[in-house]
Amino acid sequence: MISGLDPARVAGRSEMNLHFKLPLLRNLKFDDVEFGVKANLTGAAIAKAAMDRDLSDGDFAVDLSRPGVHLQGKARFDGIPINLDGGVTFKPKNGVRSRYRASHCRLDDAERRRLDFDFLPDRISGPMGIDPDLFGF
């Protein structure tokens, strides 16, 4: 398991390009190795991804390099369309290792109740856009 994510909860397809540059050094150190990965994930799904709800129908571009991993694309969170942009920093300077932003998410009254985002229900009704920043570990 990576970061506590059970592989049995993950589905989808990926295509990737790997890049490695290994200098011919007698005492090669990991910091001397150049690497990168560019991948596309399609049909990505994670059961109980957040708030005990599923992420499905994900189409993401992923870029991995020495500083970390960046992910960007579209998916459905508990059936609700969202855009995701986020990533993981391998050696964070400020203590925050991961951060994700869900944007262009519009919730109607029933969806807000289902996700427990139903603040001031007597004053707010109809579709409402939200753009939450989600901090990880």
Side-chain angles (χ1 to χ4, degrees), residues 75-96:
R76 291 185 169 274
F77 181 70
D78 200 24
I80 301 165
I82 60 170
N83 289 347
L84 276 178
D85 188 348
V88 176
T89 303
F90 295 141
K91 293 182 180 180
K93 293 181 181 173
N94 64 0
V96 176

Side-chain angles (χ1 to χ4, degrees), residues 8-65:
R9 293 183 13 224
V10 178
R13 297 182 50 93
S14 67
E15 290 184 24
M16 62 185 75
N17 292 314
L18 308 171
H19 161 77
F20 290 97
K21 184 176 181 183
L22 303 166
L24 297 175
L25 300 174
R26 181 175 301 204
N27 296 318
L28 181 67
K29 295 181 177 84
F30 183 69
D31 286 342
D32 296 326
V33 177
E34 203 179 290
F35 66 91
V37 177
K38 293 198 181 281
N40 291 310
L41 304 176
T42 56
I46 303 174
K48 297 185 179 185
M51 299 169 38
D52 247 2
R53 290 176 168 74
D54 297 341
L55 182 85
S56 63
D57 301 324
D59 290 316
F60 299 107
V62 180
D63 194 359
L64 179 138
S65 60

